[in-house]
Amino acid sequence: MIRFDRVSAGTLRAVSFEIASGTSAKILSSSADQMSELFAVCSGVRRPDTGHVYMVDNDIYALPPDARIPFFRRIGMVPENGGLISNLKTWENLILPAWYHGTRPPADMESEVLALFREAGCNEEQVQNLMRKRPDELTKYEKRLVAVIRSILMDPDILIYDSLLTGLDREAAGRLLKLVQDFHHKKPGRVSVYLCPEDTAAARIHTDQTVTLKN
């Protein structure tokens, strides 16, 4: 499902690994620069200096321009900072990708959004308050939770999380981790990849496979 073939990009040096369909994997590094480069390469915005990146049997940097957008609809990316649009409220940030790509109208997503927030421990009043906020009014946990739910709504085949639990208290981290792990198992063959600094938060993420990058 994912294969890196001697990929070099910035601080990444000849990185090779393979993650099979249906697998959860943790990629560890003590270098924040490596994590940033890896996330950028996986999201299609940082072409490797050398090597190839394959996802779902496609060399993602060899795709023609008209195939890139449809392909990346299948890939969910959750940045450490949430990656939310600063001038949009939470609800708009949540529904924009699915609405833009024409996969689902906003009205069809309301009940699912509420159910996902409930799974994460939020009651209806808390959700309503959250929907009215802009990103700069959200906590670190709320930004990541919104980014996770935004990706879930697209029902991706691959989900890549950047430092998902880093800096969160134990209770918040536990809720977020349960949400993403439950989602992983809802679709046969789905791949979940956690890009993690080598910290105590990473140790809480139990996966089928662990890859450690060399500095």
Side-chain angles (χ1 to χ4, degrees):
M1 181 69 83
I2 299 177
R3 180 163 63 91
F4 271 51
D5 181 11
R6 296 190 60 80
V7 171
S8 294
T11 55
L12 298 175
R13 293 287 185 267
V15 173
S16 295
F17 61 82
E18 188 166 349
I19 302 171
S21 176
T23 300
S24 62
K26 181 166 53 177
I27 301 179
L28 299 173
S29 175
S30 60
S31 166
D33 289 340
Q34 281 190 333
M35 289 289 95
S36 296
E37 294 282 5
L38 185 58
F39 190 79
V41 168
C42 289
S43 60
V45 300
R46 169 60 161 100
R47 180 181 292 273
D49 302 324
T50 60
H52 300 274
V53 180
Y54 299 91
M55 294 188 187
V56 202
D57 298 324
N58 289 278
D59 182 340
I60 66 173
Y61 288 96
L63 289 169
D66 60 348
R68 287 177 62 83
I69 291 177
F71 174 80
F72 276 98
R73 289 175 191 161
R74 305 174 65 183
I75 315 298
M77 306 294 298
V78 179
E80 182 179 3
N81 66 0
L84 307 179
I85 300 173
S86 62
N87 63 338
L88 296 182
K89 295 181 180 179
T90 298
W91 173 247
E92 296 166 325
N93 267 289
L94 278 170
I95 65 168
L96 183 62
W99 174 81
Y100 175 78
H101 292 297
T103 56
R104 302 168 67 186
D108 289 355
M109 291 183 276
E110 291 181 12
S111 60
E112 184 177 355
V113 167
L114 182 57
L116 289 166
F117 275 106
R118 283 175 173 163
E119 284 185 46
C122 301
N123 61 40
E124 189 167 349
E125 182 179 356
Q126 289 172 323
V127 175
Q128 289 176 351
N129 289 335
L130 188 60
M131 292 301 102
R132 293 190 288 265
K133 293 181 178 180
R134 298 187 187 278
D136 62 356
E137 301 173 289
L138 302 179
T139 65
K140 182 185 299 183
Y141 168 71
E142 289 170 339
K143 288 177 182 178
R144 291 185 196 164
L145 176 59
V146 171
V148 165
I149 293 176
R150 178 182 60 185
S151 289
I152 287 175
L153 292 173
M154 296 294 292
D155 194 30
D157 297 316
I158 297 172
L159 259 165
I160 300 174
Y161 305 98
D162 181 19
S163 305
L164 181 68
L165 305 186
T166 300
L168 302 183
D169 64 60
R170 189 172 185 84
E171 182 181 351
R175 291 196 303 267
L176 196 57
L177 186 58
K178 184 179 186 305
L179 181 66
V180 300
Q181 289 179 334
D182 287 349
F183 180 68
H184 172 79
H185 293 293
K186 287 180 180 178
K187 187 175 188 178
R190 176 174 283 134
V191 169
S192 296
V193 181
Y194 303 88
L195 311 185
C196 303
E198 294 178 306
D199 57 17
T200 55
R204 298 189 59 192
I205 304 174
H206 301 290
T207 57
D208 305 314
Q209 177 182 349
T210 299
V211 176
T212 301
L213 300 181
K214 296 179 181 179
N215 292 330

